[in-house]
Amino acid sequence: DFGTTKANPEIYKMAAARMGVDVGEVIFVDDNINAVKTAKAAGMVSVGIFDESSAEYVDEFKAAADGYVMRFDELV
């Protein structure tokens, strides 16, 4: 829909604009460390979420993201 990928910070800015909010008002949750880092670089609050496929990156998530959770219900 945006003509780019989650590796480009502009996609997060475009998504926020499409929702009609400032990029800093968005909480981005993902199990991909690179997407979390890029969303944070774009100005979003970024939260890593555990997934078996990214288990080796837990420490990196915790260092790079604004938060890290094991399950979605921890976000409430």
Side-chain angles (χ1 to χ4, degrees), residues 41-57:
M44 290 184 170
V45 173
S46 64
V47 178
I49 188 162
F50 179 80
D51 185 82
E52 198 63 45
S53 67
S54 60
E56 66 190 271
Y57 300 103

Side-chain angles (χ1 to χ4, degrees), residues 6-17:
K6 290 195 294 186
N8 181 346
E10 290 304 310
I11 195 169
Y12 303 102
K13 295 174 186 176
M14 290 185 286

